[in-house]
Amino acid sequence: MFGQARQKEGHSSISLGSWSGGLESGKLIYDNGQACWQGPKRSLTVSLECGSKETLHTVEEPSRCEYSA
């Protein structure tokens, strides 16, 4: 349903991971993204909240190559 998460930079993009199909405590988990240089594979956790609009509030990198939104 949600497929891939990507970070776009100019004409290129970097994979942040693929959605495994699960939903844990209102969070979508994307993993097995493109490997960071000398680091782990990228991953993204998206926290869902109900609201009147579909918006992305913030994106953070709490740990190296691990993103949260």
Side-chain angles (χ1 to χ4, degrees), residues 24-60:
E24 298 176 20
S25 302
K27 296 180 180 183
L28 300 173
I29 309 297
Y30 294 81
D31 54 13
N32 282 326
Q34 185 174 333
C36 286
W37 184 73
Q38 294 186 341
K41 289 186 176 183
R42 289 174 170 85
S43 64
L44 170 67
T45 301
V46 179
S47 298
L48 303 176
E49 295 180 11
C50 292
S52 59
K53 295 181 182 179
E54 294 178 10
T55 60
L56 179 62
H57 292 281
T58 60
V59 178
E60 298 174 343

Side-chain angles (χ1 to χ4, degrees), residues 3 5 8 11 13-14 25-26 29 38 42 64-68:
K8 293 186 178 183
H11 295 289
S13 66
I14 296 171
S25 302
I29 309 297
Q38 294 186 341
R42 289 174 170 85
R64 184 171 183 224
C65 301
E66 294 180 7
Y67 305 91
S68 63

Side-chain angles (χ1 to χ4, degrees), residues 1-6 14-19 30-33 44:
M1 179 176 178
F2 296 106
Q4 295 262 328
R6 304 193 72 80
I14 296 171
S15 172
L16 300 179
S18 299
W19 183 51
Y30 294 81
D31 54 13
N32 282 326
L44 170 67

